[in-house]
Amino acid sequence: MATVGAGLAMPSIVRAEDNSFWEMFNKEQRLKSVDREGATATAKSLVDTIEPILSYDTSYNLQLAIQNYEAFIQANGSWEPPVRETFGLKLGDSRRAAALLKRRLMINGDMELEKRVDDEFDAKLDAAVRLFQARHGLVISGQVDEATFYALSVPADYRLNQLRLNAQRIDQWASALTDRYVAVNIPAATVEAVEGAQVVQRHNSVVGKVDRATPILNSKIFQVKFNPYWTVPKSIIEKDMIKYMNEDPEYLAKFKIRIFDGNGNEISPTQIDWSTNDAVKYTFRQDPGGENSMGHCKIDFYNKYDVYMHDTPQKALFGENARFHSSGCMRCENIEELVAWLLRDNGGGWTPESVMAAWQQGMREDIKLDVQVPIHTTYITAWANRQGTVSFRDDVYQFDAQGVVSFSEG
């Protein structure tokens, strides 16, 4: 049977009941000794390497992946979809579906090839599931949950098509790259800070939901705002704020959002007819602080869409499988690290710790970057690194389905 790699590199007399007891006891001891955290760390290390997603190296690695997937499909057609009993499988389970899952993960290179497989969901299978989850951007649990089952169900020819489309996309972006830049990969909901052809920081992100997509563009970061005010976009006033106020008239007060007329005079919420779209005529501004929708920081870059990168008080969202919750802007986890990197050429010796201290002390300042840093918001649903690991993400905006390779820039 051909394989296609972690995505690429195919890589005395006793009573019967006493025997049963000791078998169970030994199994429990084996399960207790399984290093789940170590398996997760190994899986992450195989995926989150220092290689940027946007690079000529990735383009070359994708070509190798394409060759391997083509050879596998030509020889085998596809891999078998998971059986229903695969769902919910976890360490310690024993059933035929575990053996089938082992064979599948050997094909993908997530598990070393073995001539014979048994029905035990053992430490090797646990590690293989964790690697599969890491490659598909899923929460790494070792259990075949709904998202993992869905990813296992995607046929080989669909994955091959993703590889081909994204090889073309990366080729186009790579030609515009400089030595130092920020890349946001929308399908992966991640941010990479790149310098000298290496990723120096990688952050989880939250990006635009399907009906309020994050735009794809090339621009330059020119400013960082500490503890900013948030001026609510008219689209959010119309689509969200009016609804929230009808549900809870105290909503604006709770989140310290104030209303101003065209002359800059503050008005009361009671002066607005919330049964109409009257509210869009006014300016809504949220005061700095812990409840501010941008958190402690806003990163500005030139664009016509009024989108930006920012902090958020909703930190729990960074741990989700699908991080598509915003109205187009990008929220960045551990953004203080990125801010310190962006402000490096401004002097002052900014560090993540000093940035955080400034925010917590209530420092309110807009800081222009002495050296503007390019930013690329991209759409890459498949990529590969030189270790032979291929990663995939869902086609959240349906650009793969439409065969889109080139994107208009903002």
Side-chain angles (χ1 to χ4, degrees), residues 67-138:
Q67 292 172 20
N68 281 294
Y69 271 73
E70 287 175 339
F72 172 81
I73 291 172
Q74 184 174 4
N76 301 278
S78 188
W79 45 65
E80 293 294 329
V83 297
R84 178 184 297 182
E85 291 76 15
T86 306
F87 181 76
L89 276 175
K90 63 184 183 303
L91 186 65
D93 288 346
S94 179
R95 54 182 188 259
R96 176 178 170 274
L100 297 175
L101 180 58
K102 286 179 179 179
R103 292 192 179 98
R104 166 59 190 281
L105 295 182
M106 288 176 191
I107 291 172
N108 286 134
D110 297 304
M111 190 171 179
E112 289 187 9
L113 284 172
E114 297 178 358
K115 290 184 178 180
R116 296 181 180 179
V117 295
D118 56 28
D119 293 346
E120 295 294 322
F121 197 119
D122 52 19
K124 289 182 179 180
L125 182 53
D126 177 78
V129 170
R130 290 173 191 272
L131 177 53
F132 180 89
Q133 290 171 330
R135 292 196 302 106
H136 292 79
L138 307 175

Side-chain angles (χ1 to χ4, degrees), residues 52 54-56 170 172-181 183 376:
L54 294 187
S55 70
Y56 283 117
I170 289 176
Q172 293 188 22
W173 262 302
S175 62
L177 299 177
T178 55
D179 181 70
R180 187 169 182 241
Y181 62 91
H376 310 278

Side-chain angles (χ1 to χ4, degrees), residues 345-356:
D345 296 319
N346 277 50
W350 287 106
T351 65
E353 293 75 20
S354 64
V355 169
M356 185 67 78

